[in-house]
Amino acid sequence: MFAPASDTLLFPTEPTVRQLARELYTHVRDLPLISPHGHVDPRLLAEDQPFPDPARLLIVPDHYLTRMLLSQGITPDRLGVPRVDGGPSETDGRAIWRLFADHWHLFRGTPTRLWFEQTLTEVFGVDTPFGPPTADAVYDTLAERLGRTDFRPRSLFAQFNIEVLATTESPLDDLAAHAKLAADGWGGPGGRVITTFRPDDVVDQDRPDWPDRVIRLGSVTGEDTTTYSGFIRALERRRADFRAAGATSTDHGHPTALTLDLTPAQASTLYERGLRGKATPADAERFRAHMLVEFARMSVEDGLVMQLHPGAVRNHNTWLHDRHGRDVGGDVPQTTSYVDALSPMLNRFGNDPRLRLVVFTLDESTFSRELAPLAGGYPAVYLGAPWWFLDSPEGLRRFREAVTETAGFYNTAGFVDDTRAFCSIPVRHDVARRVDAAFLAALVAQRRLRLDEAAETIADLAYHLPKRVFRLES
């Protein structure tokens, strides 16, 4: 059973405010978890097989961990990360674990250390402080736990008190894992595990395999994707499939937030140029920007909540990408503009009550300058929680400080864990709830908020808002 951490973790040091934070935290400590955006592999829960050894569970797939060691010259293959060329990488879980432990000092003061330690303690019941001298003892304890039926994925899901978990799939995914989850009573509309429609890989013309993926999309849907109109019909068909599988939202991870409202003829010209392999980077950006407006139009029609996650320069570390592929820690944030970029979409749909657009950023300088005023001025816009490089205790606190004065609490969408690391989900949500308790406690202490209002607000932030915004209420 997941056991929340000490009642002093992340709370203010001033005694009066700390006590208020403790009291507010009690209102959300045991509320179910709503996880409306993340990247857990649905096969994990569909198959419900025992987890692998501790290293392959907690280290190998976690690019937060491996990228820190890479910054100190420890290459990912030494931590068991596979190579795209099939070259050698470490396969001994205990050797990977020991190497990680030897460099544990690199994580001092980081949120990664907090999540890792709390996962060991609160999820697996490991009380031994982690480090080089204790690495083997901790490994052995974890290995014993992972061999037990109460540490299988579905059992942990229940112990974590997760009410709903959204995974993220491509339009080319056959959704077989979600079909099995539905057959087992775990998935489908209103289910515990649902999918999210993420079409980036069939929209981004910068991908060298984009034409092949478009043809595959046609095969999956029975539409003629050699034409732009057929491509749009294929995407609409796949959205309907995802809705039938339980999806309530889409996700779009574009390099920028640019939107453009092109005519069908203009869009068709860009599309056909891309299929011929003639699209320039500028063409690809214009096509992505137009498709965001098209996806907003589709969301107005089918009710799927639209999430926008821009601002990551993908595969900035080209050596890492060439050696180990995508999503292994080679991405970095960049400056991102929203006011001008989102204007075409918002001029068309921003006041339509049928659209819900949840906007995230990796550029926190935009929170108070751009995003909070947009969310405070358009019915369609909600602010996504600090994400990826910003989802630290300090980042979560800065977010509340930056946006509340303009957007309030109720134009935000609640916490998203955005993780592939299933076992860290309850820890991440607990951290967010503690940060919000501390922030609200300060408002109460300053007589800017009554205690009963703060108690209601923290419950909304943790549970009710994400259910409502992501249309998860049934």
mmCIF file of all heavy atoms in Angstrom, residues 228 258-267 270 285-297 340-349:
data_model
loop_
_atom_site.group_PDB
_atom_site.id
_atom_site.type_symbol
_atom_site.label_atom_id
_atom_site.label_comp_id
_atom_site.label_asym_id
_atom_site.label_seq_id
_atom_site.Cartn_x
_atom_site.Cartn_y
_atom_site.Cartn_z
ATOM 1 N N TYR A 228 -4.791 15.098 -49.652
ATOM 2 C CA TYR A 228 -4.963 15.793 -48.377
ATOM 3 C C TYR A 228 -6.344 15.519 -47.786
ATOM 4 O O TYR A 228 -6.479 15.276 -46.578
ATOM 5 C CB TYR A 228 -4.748 17.292 -48.577
ATOM 6 C CG TYR A 228 -5.086 18.119 -47.366
ATOM 7 C CD1 TYR A 228 -4.297 18.077 -46.217
ATOM 8 C CD2 TYR A 228 -6.222 18.943 -47.363
ATOM 9 C CE1 TYR A 228 -4.614 18.836 -45.090
ATOM 10 C CE2 TYR A 228 -6.535 19.709 -46.256
ATOM 11 C CZ TYR A 228 -5.738 19.638 -45.121
ATOM 12 O OH TYR A 228 -6.065 20.382 -44.015
ATOM 13 N N LEU A 258 3.063 27.499 -32.955
ATOM 14 C CA LEU A 258 2.540 28.219 -34.103
ATOM 15 C C LEU A 258 1.276 27.559 -34.642
ATOM 16 O O LEU A 258 1.217 26.343 -34.812
ATOM 17 C CB LEU A 258 3.587 28.278 -35.215
ATOM 18 C CG LEU A 258 3.193 29.083 -36.461
ATOM 19 C CD1 LEU A 258 3.070 30.565 -36.133
ATOM 20 C CD2 LEU A 258 4.203 28.856 -37.586
ATOM 21 N N THR A 259 0.254 28.386 -34.926
ATOM 22 C CA THR A 259 -0.946 27.915 -35.595
ATOM 23 C C THR A 259 -1.189 28.772 -36.830
ATOM 24 O O THR A 259 -0.896 29.975 -36.841
ATOM 25 C CB THR A 259 -2.178 27.987 -34.670
ATOM 26 O OG1 THR A 259 -2.450 29.351 -34.319
ATOM 27 C CG2 THR A 259 -1.952 27.178 -33.405
ATOM 28 N N LEU A 260 -1.721 28.167 -37.879
ATOM 29 C CA LEU A 260 -2.058 28.867 -39.116
ATOM 30 C C LEU A 260 -3.375 28.327 -39.643
ATOM 31 O O LEU A 260 -3.584 27.103 -39.658
ATOM 32 C CB LEU A 260 -0.977 28.675 -40.184
ATOM 33 C CG LEU A 260 0.377 29.352 -39.964
ATOM 34 C CD1 LEU A 260 1.361 28.921 -41.051
ATOM 35 C CD2 LEU A 260 0.221 30.874 -39.960
ATOM 36 N N ASP A 261 -4.253 29.212 -40.084
ATOM 37 C CA ASP A 261 -5.550 28.816 -40.625
ATOM 38 C C ASP A 261 -5.490 28.922 -42.145
ATOM 39 O O ASP A 261 -5.922 29.926 -42.739
ATOM 40 C CB ASP A 261 -6.637 29.716 -40.037
ATOM 41 C CG ASP A 261 -8.028 29.175 -40.268
ATOM 42 O OD1 ASP A 261 -8.147 28.072 -40.833
ATOM 43 O OD2 ASP A 261 -8.993 29.854 -39.870
ATOM 44 N N LEU A 262 -4.930 27.890 -42.783
ATOM 45 C CA LEU A 262 -4.758 27.897 -44.236
ATOM 46 C C LEU A 262 -6.032 27.443 -44.938
ATOM 47 O O LEU A 262 -6.890 26.775 -44.339
ATOM 48 C CB LEU A 262 -3.606 26.968 -44.623
ATOM 49 C CG LEU A 262 -2.240 27.248 -44.008
ATOM 50 C CD1 LEU A 262 -1.227 26.219 -44.487
ATOM 51 C CD2 LEU A 262 -1.768 28.661 -44.325
ATOM 52 N N THR A 263 -6.131 27.762 -46.201
ATOM 53 C CA THR A 263 -7.232 27.236 -47.000
ATOM 54 C C THR A 263 -6.946 25.773 -47.330
ATOM 55 O O THR A 263 -5.786 25.326 -47.288
ATOM 56 C CB THR A 263 -7.372 28.023 -48.310
ATOM 57 O OG1 THR A 263 -6.205 27.793 -49.124
ATOM 58 C CG2 THR A 263 -7.526 29.516 -48.043
ATOM 59 N N PRO A 264 -7.981 25.000 -47.687
ATOM 60 C CA PRO A 264 -7.719 23.609 -48.103
ATOM 61 C C PRO A 264 -6.735 23.518 -49.255
ATOM 62 O O PRO A 264 -5.914 22.595 -49.303
ATOM 63 C CB PRO A 264 -9.117 23.110 -48.490
ATOM 64 C CG PRO A 264 -10.055 23.922 -47.656
ATOM 65 C CD PRO A 264 -9.426 25.289 -47.583
ATOM 66 N N ALA A 265 -6.799 24.441 -50.187
ATOM 67 C CA ALA A 265 -5.881 24.399 -51.328
ATOM 68 C C ALA A 265 -4.439 24.623 -50.867
ATOM 69 O O ALA A 265 -3.505 23.942 -51.339
ATOM 70 C CB ALA A 265 -6.278 25.449 -52.363
ATOM 71 N N GLN A 266 -4.229 25.592 -49.983
ATOM 72 C CA GLN A 266 -2.877 25.845 -49.465
ATOM 73 C C GLN A 266 -2.351 24.633 -48.689
ATOM 74 O O GLN A 266 -1.188 24.242 -48.843
ATOM 75 C CB GLN A 266 -2.898 27.082 -48.565
ATOM 76 C CG GLN A 266 -3.127 28.387 -49.286
ATOM 77 C CD GLN A 266 -3.350 29.545 -48.334
ATOM 78 O OE1 GLN A 266 -4.022 29.397 -47.293
ATOM 79 N NE2 GLN A 266 -2.796 30.709 -48.663
ATOM 80 N N ALA A 267 -3.210 24.051 -47.850
ATOM 81 C CA ALA A 267 -2.797 22.881 -47.072
ATOM 82 C C ALA A 267 -2.491 21.702 -47.985
ATOM 83 O O ALA A 267 -1.531 20.957 -47.768
ATOM 84 C CB ALA A 267 -3.883 22.515 -46.067
ATOM 85 N N LEU A 270 1.004 21.997 -49.530
ATOM 86 C CA LEU A 270 2.045 21.604 -48.582
ATOM 87 C C LEU A 270 2.074 20.100 -48.391
ATOM 88 O O LEU A 270 3.148 19.481 -48.320
ATOM 89 C CB LEU A 270 1.809 22.301 -47.239
ATOM 90 C CG LEU A 270 2.049 23.803 -47.178
ATOM 91 C CD1 LEU A 270 1.613 24.344 -45.815
ATOM 92 C CD2 LEU A 270 3.523 24.129 -47.422
ATOM 93 N N GLU A 285 6.935 23.323 -40.875
ATOM 94 C CA GLU A 285 6.416 24.125 -39.771
ATOM 95 C C GLU A 285 5.032 24.683 -40.111
ATOM 96 O O GLU A 285 4.129 24.692 -39.269
ATOM 97 C CB GLU A 285 7.396 25.250 -39.433
ATOM 98 C CG GLU A 285 6.915 26.245 -38.394
ATOM 99 C CD GLU A 285 6.815 25.692 -36.983
ATOM 100 O OE1 GLU A 285 6.841 24.447 -36.803
ATOM 101 O OE2 GLU A 285 6.676 26.489 -36.048
ATOM 102 N N ARG A 286 4.857 25.145 -41.333
ATOM 103 C CA ARG A 286 3.546 25.672 -41.736
ATOM 104 C C ARG A 286 2.490 24.565 -41.736
ATOM 105 O O ARG A 286 1.343 24.803 -41.333
ATOM 106 C CB ARG A 286 3.649 26.316 -43.134
ATOM 107 C CG ARG A 286 4.328 27.668 -43.134
ATOM 108 C CD ARG A 286 4.556 28.184 -44.563
ATOM 109 N NE ARG A 286 3.330 28.273 -45.344
ATOM 110 C CZ ARG A 286 2.449 29.276 -45.254
ATOM 111 N NH1 ARG A 286 2.660 30.262 -44.393
ATOM 112 N NH2 ARG A 286 1.376 29.288 -46.007
ATOM 113 N N PHE A 287 2.871 23.381 -42.160
ATOM 114 C CA PHE A 287 1.890 22.290 -42.187
ATOM 115 C C PHE A 287 1.495 21.882 -40.763
ATOM 116 O O PHE A 287 0.312 21.679 -40.478
ATOM 117 C CB PHE A 287 2.448 21.092 -42.960
ATOM 118 C CG PHE A 287 1.434 19.998 -43.159
ATOM 119 C CD1 PHE A 287 0.369 20.177 -44.023
ATOM 120 C CD2 PHE A 287 1.541 18.799 -42.468
ATOM 121 C CE1 PHE A 287 -0.578 19.176 -44.211
ATOM 122 C CE2 PHE A 287 0.596 17.793 -42.640
ATOM 123 C CZ PHE A 287 -0.463 17.977 -43.515
ATOM 124 N N ARG A 288 2.486 21.765 -39.867
ATOM 125 C CA ARG A 288 2.163 21.464 -38.471
ATOM 126 C C ARG A 288 1.246 22.538 -37.884
ATOM 127 O O ARG A 288 0.288 22.233 -37.159
ATOM 128 C CB ARG A 288 3.441 21.375 -37.630
ATOM 129 C CG ARG A 288 4.287 20.141 -37.855
ATOM 130 C CD ARG A 288 5.394 20.035 -36.812
ATOM 131 N NE ARG A 288 6.334 21.143 -36.893
ATOM 132 C CZ ARG A 288 7.507 21.094 -37.525
ATOM 133 N NH1 ARG A 288 7.869 19.994 -38.167
ATOM 134 N NH2 ARG A 288 8.309 22.146 -37.535
ATOM 135 N N ALA A 289 1.558 23.806 -38.185
ATOM 136 C CA ALA A 289 0.771 24.912 -37.643
ATOM 137 C C ALA A 289 -0.671 24.862 -38.148
ATOM 138 O O ALA A 289 -1.622 25.091 -37.385
ATOM 139 C CB ALA A 289 1.424 26.245 -38.024
ATOM 140 N N HIS A 290 -0.842 24.561 -39.420
ATOM 141 C CA HIS A 290 -2.194 24.430 -39.957
ATOM 142 C C HIS A 290 -2.920 23.251 -39.321
ATOM 143 O O HIS A 290 -4.118 23.354 -38.990
ATOM 144 C CB HIS A 290 -2.137 24.244 -41.477
ATOM 145 C CG HIS A 290 -3.455 23.824 -42.049
ATOM 146 N ND1 HIS A 290 -4.519 24.684 -42.170
ATOM 147 C CD2 HIS A 290 -3.886 22.611 -42.496
ATOM 148 C CE1 HIS A 290 -5.555 24.033 -42.685
ATOM 149 N NE2 HIS A 290 -5.192 22.778 -42.889
ATOM 150 N N MET A 291 -2.220 22.149 -39.127
ATOM 151 C CA MET A 291 -2.883 20.967 -38.583
ATOM 152 C C MET A 291 -3.341 21.185 -37.144
ATOM 153 O O MET A 291 -4.333 20.591 -36.715
ATOM 154 C CB MET A 291 -1.960 19.750 -38.678
ATOM 155 C CG MET A 291 -1.802 19.203 -40.094
ATOM 156 S SD MET A 291 -3.384 18.826 -40.905
ATOM 157 C CE MET A 291 -4.093 17.655 -39.761
ATOM 158 N N LEU A 292 -2.668 22.043 -36.385
ATOM 159 C CA LEU A 292 -3.169 22.349 -35.045
ATOM 160 C C LEU A 292 -4.552 22.989 -35.116
ATOM 161 O O LEU A 292 -5.435 22.681 -34.295
ATOM 162 C CB LEU A 292 -2.194 23.271 -34.299
ATOM 163 C CG LEU A 292 -0.950 22.615 -33.724
ATOM 164 C CD1 LEU A 292 -0.074 23.658 -33.032
ATOM 165 C CD2 LEU A 292 -1.305 21.497 -32.741
ATOM 166 N N VAL A 293 -4.769 23.864 -36.089
ATOM 167 C CA VAL A 293 -6.096 24.463 -36.250
ATOM 168 C C VAL A 293 -7.096 23.407 -36.709
ATOM 169 O O VAL A 293 -8.248 23.372 -36.245
ATOM 170 C CB VAL A 293 -6.042 25.646 -37.231
ATOM 171 C CG1 VAL A 293 -7.442 26.229 -37.473
ATOM 172 C CG2 VAL A 293 -5.117 26.733 -36.693
ATOM 173 N N GLU A 294 -6.681 22.531 -37.593
ATOM 174 C CA GLU A 294 -7.557 21.441 -38.023
ATOM 175 C C GLU A 294 -7.922 20.531 -36.846
ATOM 176 O O GLU A 294 -9.073 20.107 -36.713
ATOM 177 C CB GLU A 294 -6.889 20.613 -39.118
ATOM 178 C CG GLU A 294 -7.155 21.101 -40.514
ATOM 179 C CD GLU A 294 -8.625 21.001 -40.873
ATOM 180 O OE1 GLU A 294 -9.131 19.882 -41.097
ATOM 181 O OE2 GLU A 294 -9.297 22.054 -40.911
ATOM 182 N N PHE A 295 -6.949 20.241 -35.991
ATOM 183 C CA PHE A 295 -7.246 19.392 -34.835
ATOM 184 C C PHE A 295 -8.166 20.111 -33.848
ATOM 185 O O PHE A 295 -9.000 19.468 -33.199
ATOM 186 C CB PHE A 295 -5.955 18.954 -34.160
ATOM 187 C CG PHE A 295 -5.190 17.921 -34.931
ATOM 188 C CD1 PHE A 295 -3.829 18.083 -35.196
ATOM 189 C CD2 PHE A 295 -5.811 16.783 -35.406
ATOM 190 C CE1 PHE A 295 -3.116 17.138 -35.898
ATOM 191 C CE2 PHE A 295 -5.116 15.821 -36.137
ATOM 192 C CZ PHE A 295 -3.761 15.999 -36.380
ATOM 193 N N ALA A 296 -8.031 21.425 -33.730
ATOM 194 C CA ALA A 296 -8.971 22.170 -32.894
ATOM 195 C C ALA A 296 -10.378 22.068 -33.471
ATOM 196 O O ALA A 296 -11.358 21.896 -32.729
ATOM 197 C CB ALA A 296 -8.532 23.630 -32.782
ATOM 198 N N ARG A 297 -10.486 22.185 -34.789
ATOM 199 C CA ARG A 297 -11.789 22.026 -35.437
ATOM 200 C C ARG A 297 -12.371 20.644 -35.158
ATOM 201 O O ARG A 297 -13.559 20.494 -34.814
ATOM 202 C CB ARG A 297 -11.620 22.248 -36.935
ATOM 203 C CG ARG A 297 -12.923 22.343 -37.729
ATOM 204 C CD ARG A 297 -13.345 21.023 -38.343
ATOM 205 N NE ARG A 297 -12.303 20.425 -39.171
ATOM 206 C CZ ARG A 297 -12.377 19.165 -39.611
ATOM 207 N NH1 ARG A 297 -13.386 18.375 -39.244
ATOM 208 N NH2 ARG A 297 -11.401 18.672 -40.346
ATOM 209 N N ASP A 340 1.186 35.501 -30.140
ATOM 210 C CA ASP A 340 1.020 35.588 -31.590
ATOM 211 C C ASP A 340 0.809 34.214 -32.207
ATOM 212 O O ASP A 340 0.026 34.062 -33.154
ATOM 213 C CB ASP A 340 2.244 36.253 -32.222
ATOM 214 C CG ASP A 340 2.379 37.720 -31.842
ATOM 215 O OD1 ASP A 340 1.346 38.343 -31.530
ATOM 216 O OD2 ASP A 340 3.519 38.225 -31.831
ATOM 217 N N ALA A 341 1.506 33.217 -31.681
ATOM 218 C CA ALA A 341 1.462 31.887 -32.281
ATOM 219 C C ALA A 341 0.069 31.277 -32.231
ATOM 220 O O ALA A 341 -0.386 30.641 -33.192
ATOM 221 C CB ALA A 341 2.468 30.978 -31.581
ATOM 222 N N LEU A 342 -0.620 31.443 -31.113
ATOM 223 C CA LEU A 342 -1.935 30.819 -30.958
ATOM 224 C C LEU A 342 -3.072 31.673 -31.509
ATOM 225 O O LEU A 342 -4.228 31.219 -31.561
ATOM 226 C CB LEU A 342 -2.207 30.534 -29.481
ATOM 227 C CG LEU A 342 -1.358 29.444 -28.832
ATOM 228 C CD1 LEU A 342 -1.705 29.316 -27.355
ATOM 229 C CD2 LEU A 342 -1.552 28.100 -29.531
ATOM 230 N N SER A 343 -2.771 32.895 -31.927
ATOM 231 C CA SER A 343 -3.819 33.822 -32.348
ATOM 232 C C SER A 343 -4.730 33.263 -33.443
ATOM 233 O O SER A 343 -5.962 33.373 -33.343
ATOM 234 C CB SER A 343 -3.204 35.148 -32.785
ATOM 235 O OG SER A 343 -4.202 36.064 -33.129
ATOM 236 N N PRO A 344 -4.212 32.655 -34.522
ATOM 237 C CA PRO A 344 -5.128 32.133 -35.545
ATOM 238 C C PRO A 344 -6.106 31.090 -35.005
ATOM 239 O O PRO A 344 -7.297 31.116 -35.339
ATOM 240 C CB PRO A 344 -4.173 31.532 -36.585
ATOM 241 C CG PRO A 344 -2.907 32.319 -36.431
ATOM 242 C CD PRO A 344 -2.795 32.577 -34.958
ATOM 243 N N MET A 345 -5.621 30.177 -34.163
ATOM 244 C CA MET A 345 -6.510 29.173 -33.593
ATOM 245 C C MET A 345 -7.544 29.807 -32.666
ATOM 246 O O MET A 345 -8.746 29.500 -32.724
ATOM 247 C CB MET A 345 -5.719 28.113 -32.814
ATOM 248 C CG MET A 345 -6.600 27.071 -32.147
ATOM 249 S SD MET A 345 -5.734 26.132 -30.875
ATOM 250 C CE MET A 345 -4.608 25.174 -31.880
ATOM 251 N N LEU A 346 -7.082 30.717 -31.791
ATOM 252 C CA LEU A 346 -7.989 31.300 -30.811
ATOM 253 C C LEU A 346 -8.974 32.270 -31.440
ATOM 254 O O LEU A 346 -10.114 32.406 -30.969
ATOM 255 C CB LEU A 346 -7.187 31.975 -29.696
ATOM 256 C CG LEU A 346 -6.324 31.034 -28.860
ATOM 257 C CD1 LEU A 346 -5.568 31.797 -27.785
ATOM 258 C CD2 LEU A 346 -7.159 29.918 -28.233
ATOM 259 N N ASN A 347 -8.572 32.946 -32.505
ATOM 260 C CA ASN A 347 -9.520 33.809 -33.209
ATOM 261 C C ASN A 347 -10.657 33.001 -33.806
ATOM 262 O O ASN A 347 -11.791 33.491 -33.908
ATOM 263 C CB ASN A 347 -8.808 34.596 -34.315
ATOM 264 C CG ASN A 347 -8.095 35.818 -33.782
ATOM 265 O OD1 ASN A 347 -8.496 36.390 -32.773
ATOM 266 N ND2 ASN A 347 -7.025 36.222 -34.448
ATOM 267 N N ARG A 348 -10.377 31.775 -34.151
ATOM 268 C CA ARG A 348 -11.416 30.931 -34.753
ATOM 269 C C ARG A 348 -12.218 30.160 -33.704
ATOM 270 O O ARG A 348 -13.444 30.042 -33.821
ATOM 271 C CB ARG A 348 -10.775 29.967 -35.749
ATOM 272 C CG ARG A 348 -11.771 29.128 -36.513
ATOM 273 C CD ARG A 348 -11.134 28.406 -37.681
ATOM 274 N NE ARG A 348 -12.041 27.446 -38.278
ATOM 275 C CZ ARG A 348 -11.702 26.581 -39.234
ATOM 276 N NH1 ARG A 348 -10.458 26.598 -39.720
ATOM 277 N NH2 ARG A 348 -12.572 25.730 -39.726
ATOM 278 N N PHE A 349 -11.528 29.635 -32.665
ATOM 279 C CA PHE A 349 -12.202 28.717 -31.747
ATOM 280 C C PHE A 349 -12.084 29.091 -30.262
ATOM 281 O O PHE A 349 -12.654 28.410 -29.416
ATOM 282 C CB PHE A 349 -11.635 27.299 -31.918
ATOM 283 C CG PHE A 349 -11.827 26.709 -33.279
ATOM 284 C CD1 PHE A 349 -10.731 26.437 -34.094
ATOM 285 C CD2 PHE A 349 -13.102 26.424 -33.755
ATOM 286 C CE1 PHE A 349 -10.896 25.877 -35.353
ATOM 287 C CE2 PHE A 349 -13.279 25.864 -35.015
ATOM 288 C CZ PHE A 349 -12.179 25.593 -35.819
#
